[in-house]
């Protein structure tokens, strides 16, 4: 039985290639779009619907299952509220680090393992000093 990998898919090239490579290597792959924000802001359209459609189109093309995990509440608490607090304190926040740390590599991992994944993957680039595997028990 092949290992089940949930791939965080944004609809972009990096995550699409990651999913394709895992399929090619024989993993049981499920594409997952992380819905972190869906509100339009004044003068700014949030393209989440287009992004999820792109990710789903890639998943269909690869012949893999596709899911949407709704992390909007967690994203607001862990990323947006943090960013606002830091600005209010006169500091320059880095919301990308908080998103990666709290959403993509924590909440996504926990939700994926709970849904039956053995591993997660993304299209993020990383340098590895120490590799730690988390699997469901």
């Amino acid at each position: 039985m092949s290992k089940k990998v949930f791939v965080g898919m944004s609809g972009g090239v990096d995550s699409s290639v990651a999913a394709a490579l895992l399929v090619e290597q024989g993993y049981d792959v499920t594409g997952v779009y992380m819905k972190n924000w869906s509100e339009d802001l004044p003068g700014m359209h949030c393209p989440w619907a287009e992004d999820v459609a792109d990710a789903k189109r890639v998943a269909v093309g690869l012949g893999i299952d596709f899911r949407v995990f709704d992390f909007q509440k967690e994203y607001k608490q862990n990323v947006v509220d943090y960013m606002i607090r830091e600005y209010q304190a006169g500091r320059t926040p880095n919301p990308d680090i908080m998103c990666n740390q709290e959403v993509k590599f924590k909440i996504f991992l926990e939700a994926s393992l709970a849904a039956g994944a053995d591993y997660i993957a993304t299209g993020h680039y990383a340098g590895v000093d120490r590799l730690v595997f988390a699997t469901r028990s």
Side-chain angles (χ1 to χ4, degrees), residues 36-37 71-82:
N36 297 332
W37 193 268
F71 296 145
Q72 292 181 97
K73 177 182 170 192
E74 295 87 350
Y75 183 85
K76 181 173 181 320
Q77 290 173 347
N78 294 308
V79 180
V80 176
D81 292 349
Y82 148 80

Side-chain angles (χ1 to χ4, degrees), residues 34 50 54 76 78 80 92 96 104 108 114:
M34 288 177 258
E50 294 91 345
D54 288 343
K76 181 173 181 320
N78 294 308
V80 176
T92 304
D96 289 337
K104 292 178 185 164
F108 174 50

